[in-house]
Amino acid sequence: MLTKRKTIRKYIRFYGQVQAVGFRWTAMQAAKLYGVTGWVRNEYDDSVSMEIQGTERQIDDVIAAIDRGTYIVIDRMEVKTLETVEEERGFRVKYH
C-alpha cells in the first residue's frame, strides 16, 4: 500500500564558498528537477538562505545536487523546521 509522503518545510543557511559560484542557479535547477517549492537568497554576510518545502527525500536530493556544483563548497549549514506554506507554488530567487 502506497502512502503519501509528508511535506515539510525547512529554513537552511549555507556557509562556505556559496556566493558568486552559481549557487542560486543550481538551487533553482535542482528545485525544478525534484519538485520542491520555496526560495533562495544571497545574504549580506556572504552566506545563502533558503526556505524549501517538499518531502525529506526531495529536500535531501536538492541539497546533494547543490553540493555537487562545480565551484560550490558548503562548509556548514544551519537548519530549522518551519510550518508549511500550503499556497506556495514554485521555487524562486529572492532579492533584498
Side-chain angles (χ1 to χ4, degrees), residues 9-96:
R9 185 177 190 88
K10 291 185 179 183
Y11 171 84
I12 307 171
R13 189 83 168 243
F14 297 90
Y15 297 91
Q17 190 172 318
V18 294
Q19 285 195 20
V21 291
F23 189 103
R24 292 176 298 166
W25 183 87
T26 302
M28 286 286 299
Q29 298 309 307
K32 247 186 250 186
L33 178 65
Y34 294 108
V36 299
T37 63
W39 55 263
V40 63
R41 172 180 71 203
N42 282 347
E43 298 297 345
Y44 294 115
D45 66 356
D46 294 328
S47 67
V48 173
S49 290
M50 174 188 291
E51 282 193 17
I52 186 169
Q53 183 166 291
T55 65
E56 188 81 44
R57 174 68 183 263
Q58 287 172 307
I59 293 169
D60 289 347
D61 287 344
V62 168
I63 293 168
I66 293 167
D67 198 37
R68 287 191 300 271
T70 305
Y71 302 105
I72 297 167
V73 179
I74 299 170
D75 290 335
R76 69 183 172 92
M77 300 183 307
E78 294 174 358
V79 182
K80 295 178 187 171
T81 301
L82 304 172
E83 293 293 319
T84 58
V85 178
E86 298 302 323
E87 69 278 359
E88 184 174 68
R89 302 290 177 260
F91 191 91
R92 65 190 176 98
V93 174
K94 279 178 79 171
Y95 300 93
H96 289 279

